Amino acid sequence: MDGLLKNIERRSTKGLLAAGFIVFAFVFSINPALWIRNEGFPRKYELLGIKEAPAAKKTQLLELALETIEPSENTLVISNDASALNMHTNLKSYYPPKKEGIPIYTFEQYVSRIKNFEHIYVIWSGAWENGNFVELAEFEKVFAMEKVAQNSYCVIFRLK
């Protein structure tokens, strides 16, 4: 090694050190930008939660709801996915009443509160029978239900 270093001129050693420093500085400055592009952007929405992710804002449920229902003060949407509708649309949305609960939250109390709305829609996704919420058959006993839209994910009824 000593023999090799003795044969290299001082000027070329300084040039090699300068070139090495420039390469190191370039890699050191580019590495964070490459990490952000490759790792940072894909992780951008990871900690926001599922309902804030960009894909959650473009679901079949939201698309069909926005195509079918005109938001207004006198419009109410009842849905088993009301939180997504409230977060990503201007529709006033309630969850359906639960099967079991305290008397103030019974189905009869719920119906008396929602009858003040001029337009009432039910948007249902998934299985009709649900262990927590009252089933659509309960709404059919009180309201006439008309199917106004449907896709492969959900169905929309208008209550009259």
Side-chain angles (χ1 to χ4, degrees):
M1 188 66 146
D2 286 336
L4 180 64
L5 289 175
K6 285 180 187 178
N7 291 332
I8 299 175
E9 295 180 23
R10 279 194 164 173
R11 287 186 182 173
S12 65
T13 305
K14 288 181 184 178
L16 285 173
L17 287 175
F21 178 76
I22 289 172
V23 168
F24 175 77
F26 180 73
V27 169
F28 190 76
S29 64
I30 293 297
N31 187 39
L34 292 175
W35 184 90
I36 289 170
R37 190 192 71 181
N38 294 334
E39 299 290 330
F41 288 136
R43 295 181 189 183
K44 181 178 179 183
Y45 297 103
E46 198 168 283
L47 299 176
L48 290 176
I50 293 172
K51 294 196 186 280
E52 281 294 327
K57 298 175 182 179
K58 297 177 183 168
T59 63
Q60 293 179 17
L61 173 92
L62 295 175
E63 288 175 7
L64 188 63
L66 291 172
E67 289 172 5
T68 307
I69 303 170
E70 182 71 32
S72 74
E73 289 291 321
N74 292 323
T75 301
L76 174 67
V77 174
I78 301 166
S79 177
N80 60 340
D81 201 1
S83 60
L85 290 164
N86 281 328
M87 288 178 74
H88 303 299
T89 68
N90 290 327
L91 297 168
K92 183 176 185 107
S93 304
Y94 291 166
Y95 277 100
K98 292 193 174 198
K99 287 182 180 180
E100 297 178 13
I102 60 176
I104 195 169
Y105 296 124
T106 62
F107 182 68
E108 292 78 21
Q109 292 287 334
Y110 187 87
V111 169
S112 68
R113 285 193 311 269
I114 68 172
K115 280 192 173 180
N116 296 331
F117 289 94
E118 189 176 327
H119 307 285
I120 304 171
Y121 294 89
V122 173
I123 301 178
W124 202 266
S125 59
W128 294 108
E129 296 80 25
N130 185 308
N132 296 326
F133 301 122
V134 296
E135 296 171 11
L136 290 177
E138 294 295 321
F139 285 99
E140 287 179 317
K141 291 177 185 176
V142 178
F143 299 98
M145 295 177 65
E146 172 190 4
K147 185 190 291 187
V148 293
Q150 182 174 5
N151 62 18
S152 61
Y153 183 76
C154 63
V155 62
I156 299 178
F157 295 97
R158 183 178 336 176
L159 305 182
K160 298 179 179 180

